[in-house]
Amino acid sequence: GIVRRSGRTHKAIAERMQFFREAGLDGLGEFIKVDDTFEVRVDSVRGKLPSPFGGPGMYSKVNTTVRNNALKREITFTDLHIHFVGDHGFYEGKGSLFRLEPEDLIITLDVPVSS
């Protein structure tokens, strides 16, 4: 698929998503600057969701929005998305309201090529 052809892995994409989630936590719902290219906002919603795939634990309802100012692109994902991508290589079905296109994640988040 697209991910393999791009030279990335699902794990690398999930790690990049997690990096931005952690970078934005201090902003408490406001955009904060990560570096010259990126700003990130993390919004926490009360409550937790189980993974529909089963597996351990519950996932916080947290939305992470990453703004790539160099590309004028923005993407929003949840903690559940990070789990889906990293553990299942799953981006939600085409046409799904919460679908994330792997290519959008790779480009917008500037995911490094996997070594």
Side-chain angles (χ1 to χ4, degrees):
I2 288 169
V3 174
R4 197 170 54 248
R5 284 197 306 275
S6 75
R8 275 76 169 189
T9 62
H10 301 299
K11 186 171 182 287
I13 294 170
E15 284 171 355
R16 191 75 172 144
M17 293 165 82
Q18 185 67 34
F19 163 80
F20 283 113
R21 182 201 185 281
E22 287 169 13
L25 278 177
D26 291 341
L28 302 171
E30 301 293 327
F31 272 103
I32 57 173
K33 190 177 162 112
V34 177
D35 57 26
D36 289 340
T37 302
F38 294 101
E39 293 174 31
V40 63
R41 184 182 75 216
V42 175
D43 296 301
S44 182
V45 184
R46 283 174 198 264
K48 290 182 182 279
L49 295 168
S51 170
F53 294 109
M58 301 283 279
Y59 293 84
S60 298
K61 290 189 201 172
V62 173
N63 292 335
T64 300
T65 302
V66 179
R67 201 179 267 166
N68 181 324
N69 293 316
L71 299 177
K72 304 275 188 273
R73 291 176 74 138
E74 187 175 287
I75 198 161
T76 299
F77 52 86
T78 66
D79 282 12
L80 205 49
H81 280 126
I82 299 172
H83 158 67
F84 282 164
V85 170
D87 295 344
H88 302 286
F90 179 68
Y91 297 83
E92 305 233 13
K94 292 231 185 250
S96 158
L97 187 59
F98 300 105
R99 166 79 181 173
L100 289 172
E101 293 298 337
E103 194 174 19
D104 288 344
L105 285 165
I106 290 167
I107 293 168
T108 307
L109 303 183
D110 192 21
V111 177
V113 173
S114 306
S115 48

